[in-house]
Amino acid sequence: KNEVEQSPQNLTAQEGEFITINCSYSVGISALHWLQQHPGGGIVSLFMLSSGKKKHGRLIATINIQEKHSSLHITASHPRDSAVYICAVRHMDSNYQLIWGAGTKLIIKP
Amino acid sequence: KAGVTQTPRYLIKTRGQQVTLSCSPISGHRSVSWYQQTPGQGLQFLFEYFSETQRNKGNFPGRFSGRQFSNSRSEMNVSTLELGDSALYLCASSFLGNFIGLASPLHFGNGTRLTVT
């Protein structure tokens, strides 16, 4: 079993829909990162969380430390949100190594 | 502030050769990590350096090595190249202060696309 699991693996939605991408982890962490990679593009850091909730524009990230779970939400989704969303955690018991999820490929149709 | 700079952007090598890739982090960042990304695959962690010391290493053969200099610039080297080494190699930097566990955002470079023929 992977230490960081993302779901769904692929997600296709219509423009305007509310999107949720999940990340579950099984290790102790000091922080969780959400990143975005557009096709053929670079990787951009969206959020870094150690507790609670953060919001940036239409993006919201939450983390529940007790349940070892984080969600990334996109409100009023737009085709330009189409990208791969990646979750990564800093593993406290492994010299703070970054452990990466496999990514969620999101396609927003106009 | 300049972003993370990776050089070269593209590289073509033949099997058996060796290659060195460079990563200049954002000024003040002391942590540099390296990743391999192949088509359809997620990020595969290679290694992470903090203040010139390798802190973590992924599951790659010994042909893959790296180092970090006192100015935080990092290089990775792949010796005896194989066709399967063709990939996008990405580096990321972050400011971790004096404690690597202290979280800070990751900043990625645009990568070096290596093609082995």
Side-chain angles (χ1 to χ4, degrees), chain A residues 32 34 47 49 51-54 60-64 69-73:
Chain A
L32 182 144
W34 281 104
F47 296 103
L49 297 160
S51 64
K53 176 180 175 178
K54 287 190 176 180
I60 303 166
T62 64
I63 188 168
N64 185 317
H69 181 267
S70 176
S71 292
L72 176 68
H73 305 287

Side-chain angles (χ1 to χ4, degrees), chain B residues 48-110:
Chain B
E48 180 174 28
Y49 287 88
F50 178 70
S51 291
E52 301 178 67
T53 301
Q54 186 179 90
R55 299 289 300 191
N56 292 294
K57 191 176 190 303
N59 296 323
F60 276 80
R63 300 184 297 107
F64 291 81
S65 63
R67 59 178 174 168
Q68 187 179 33
F69 301 96
S70 58
N71 63 357
S72 294
R73 189 178 72 85
S74 178
E75 289 181 346
M76 67 162 278
N77 184 276
V78 188
S79 62
T80 319
L81 284 165
E82 300 177 0
L83 294 178
D85 297 333
S86 295
L88 179 66
Y89 290 87
L90 292 157
C91 83
S93 76
S94 62
F95 174 77
L96 290 176
N98 292 318
F99 175 45
I100 195 169
L102 187 66
S104 57
L106 296 164
H107 300 265
F108 276 82
N110 289 324

